[in-house]
Amino acid sequence: MQFRPFALERYFAKYEFAVEHLLSASDPESLTLQELLALADTQSLALWQELKLAYTESQGHPLLREAIAGTYSSIDPRDVLVAVPEEAIFIAMNCLLRPGDHVIATFPAYQSLHEIAGSLGCRLTRWPLSQNGERWELDLGLLADSLSDDTRLIVINFPHNPTGFLPERATLDAILDLARRRGVYIFSDEMYRRLEYTPERRLPAICDLYERGVSLSGLSKTFSLPGLRLGWLATADRELLASCAVFKDYTTICGSAPSEILGIMALRAGERIIARNLGIIRANLHLADEFFVRQQDRFTWLRPQAGPVCLPRLLSDLSVAALCEGLLERKSVMLLPGEVFEFGDNYFRLGLGRRDFPEGLAILEAYLDGT
Ligand SMILES: Cc1ncc(COP(=O)(O)O)c(C=O)c1O
């Protein structure tokens, strides 16, 4: 198995801990341990105080899987496998795919969502998002035309990283309908689910809609706890989940004991954490709205429909690569160039979930205006 380097992760590895402001982070402002403990219910606080740092149950702590199942409408704790989010992608792809399988994946994408399929010897079709006036859009006709007898899997990610695109329910239903007719699996990366700006726009999780649907979620984004390294797969396909559990014995075997208990606390306090994050994102989105009006000669911007990221485009003669480099070297601000998504044409990702977004944005504007 041979992978190309994970361009985004290599970029973050180089700069994330070396700069003062991250203007492209996809994880909203992290909670401190103290903040999380202050949100804890009595039972999980007792579990934390009595915690033994032993091996944990491979499938995940029963109370954790119960809290996870509670975030879906039809999922039982037995339908959940706890794993690190990135690990869960790796496990699911390895268990779903064989060399020669055809995979269709939304594009641009978090690289592992298509890279692992490619490295397993699958034939990959990129299903591109395109700009239609004020919105990002997915062409269902392209999906229908791409499906073939050997298509095994469709990979989707809504709310989408890096564009902030969120399709209408009818689009999701149409994807589902095309998949169901051919018995194709859907792997749905729902890491940013519940960060919709209005609750009516929230799409159902794929594991609640489709017997061959696999939902990926976790605590890194929506719950502001990336340091817990905690996520999960949820699917009604018990055979597939069992094969994922067997595979996990060769990755991490079981989860981290402290993370599991802190995860139970976080899920139980989910609504409060999400409300906090949406508050930060909304305030930053308002600043971004004003910024892109002031800077309309320099950028085009499709306002995100959900989640903490979006993908503006620089219009001026300056290349995004040069802008990113200049900001890093002279201002200690990190912007993520679209190139890391193999999505050139002067796009860059902007992250709206951090508390220092106003300072970072002001530095970007001053840099552009040469002040
Ligand atoms: C869409 C998407 N899926 C999965 C992941 C992986 O999450 P984690 O870094 O917590 O493993 C990320 C992280 O950026 C992501 O953006």
Side-chain angles (χ1 to χ4, degrees):
M1 212 181 187
Q2 283 255 301
F3 312 105
R4 294 177 305 162
F6 198 134
L8 175 147
E9 296 299 352
R10 286 298 90 208
Y11 197 89
F12 268 85
K14 207 163 160 190
Y15 301 116
E16 179 172 8
F17 297 99
V19 297
E20 274 172 46
H21 299 285
L22 290 177
L23 210 42
S24 292
S26 60
D27 50 316
E29 188 76 26
S30 295
L31 289 172
T32 63
L33 178 61
Q34 255 183 351
E35 281 173 316
L36 179 57
L37 291 174
L39 294 171
D41 61 290
T42 320
Q43 188 197 28
S44 50
L45 211 49
L47 289 171
W48 178 245
Q49 274 150 6
E50 291 151 19
L51 177 65
K52 199 166 162 186
L53 296 172
Y55 280 114
T56 60
E57 284 190 39
S58 181
Q59 194 175 351
H61 193 296
L63 289 177
L64 177 62
R65 283 186 289 116
E66 189 184 302
I68 292 168
T71 66
Y72 301 107
S73 62
S74 66
I75 289 295
D76 184 277
R78 285 170 299 175
D79 303 328
V80 172
L81 176 68
V82 173
V84 176
E86 176 70 322
E87 175 195 14
I89 299 175
F90 188 75
I91 293 176
M93 296 296 163
N94 272 277
C95 292
L96 276 165
L97 300 173
R98 295 292 167 260
D101 284 344
H102 179 226
V103 177
I104 303 172
T106 45
F107 180 79
Y110 188 67
Q111 192 170 330
S112 47
L113 293 176
H114 53 78
E115 190 71 35
I116 297 164
S119 75
L120 286 167
C122 299
R123 183 167 67 84
L124 184 76
T125 301
R126 290 175 169 181
W127 184 24
L129 271 83
S130 56
Q131 251 182 275
N132 179 8
E134 296 285 291
R135 300 170 46 117
W136 291 100
E137 180 176 86
L138 276 172
D139 182 344
L140 286 165
L142 272 183
L143 176 63
D145 292 345
S146 303
L147 285 161
S148 64
D149 290 344
D150 59 355
T151 306
R152 169 80 169 155
L153 178 69
I154 298 171
V155 183
I156 55 178
N157 163 222
F158 309 134
H160 182 245
N161 173 17
T163 60
F165 168 69
L166 180 68
E168 299 293 335
R169 172 71 196 263
T171 305
L172 184 67
D173 286 343
I175 298 170
L176 200 57
D177 188 46
L178 287 167
R180 191 172 257 138
R181 274 196 248 159
R182 287 177 177 266
V184 170
Y185 275 90
I186 299 181
F187 183 89
S188 176
D189 181 324
E190 296 161 5
M191 290 296 288
Y192 300 92
R193 190 163 170 268
R194 299 173 73 181
L195 287 180
E196 301 78 14
Y197 307 147
T198 52
E200 314 83 75
R201 286 287 272 122
R202 184 170 306 156
L203 293 172
I206 210 74
C207 60
D208 280 328
L209 292 180
Y210 185 33
E211 58 287 357
R212 291 193 162 183
V214 182
S215 291
L216 166 76
S217 192
L219 301 183
S220 306
K221 315 292 181 182
T222 303
F223 292 84
S224 280
L225 296 164
L228 295 190
R229 310 307 299 124
L230 203 158
W232 57 87
L233 296 168
T235 179
D237 186 331
R238 294 243 169 109
E239 210 176 308
L240 173 66
L241 201 72
S243 70
C244 290
V246 167
F247 195 96
K248 191 182 159 189
D249 289 340
Y250 287 98
T251 54
T252 57
I253 306 172
C254 64
S256 139
S259 292
E260 286 206 324
I261 303 307
L262 296 172
I264 295 168
M265 282 175 197
L267 282 155
R268 291 181 179 177
E271 293 303 332
R272 280 175 288 167
I273 296 173
I274 292 168
R276 162 210 188 255
N277 289 344
L278 281 172
I280 299 173
I281 292 171
R282 278 200 195 96
N284 289 339
L285 201 48
H286 180 67
L287 293 179
D289 277 330
E290 294 175 341
F291 171 87
F292 286 112
V293 168
R294 284 194 305 276
Q295 295 284 340
Q296 57 188 318
D297 293 341
R298 284 199 173 107
F299 300 99
T300 52
W301 184 51
L302 303 190
R303 199 174 195 273
Q305 294 162 309
V309 290
C310 55
L311 196 70
R313 183 166 168 236
L314 180 63
L315 295 173
S316 71
D317 295 342
L318 188 63
S319 80
V320 152
L323 174 64
C324 294
E325 231 176 86
L327 281 170
L328 278 168
E329 278 171 19
R330 295 175 42 199
K331 301 289 177 187
S332 199
V333 169
M334 194 194 102
L335 266 192
L336 188 68
E339 274 164 33
V340 301
F341 292 96
E342 296 177 273
F343 205 67
D345 219 8
N346 252 10
Y347 288 101
F348 61 97
R349 188 173 79 181
L350 201 60
L352 301 160
R354 294 294 179 95
R355 288 209 200 274
D356 69 345
F357 180 82
E359 289 91 336
L361 194 68
I363 295 171
L364 166 65
E365 189 153 33
Y367 181 82
L368 287 165
D369 292 343
T371 53

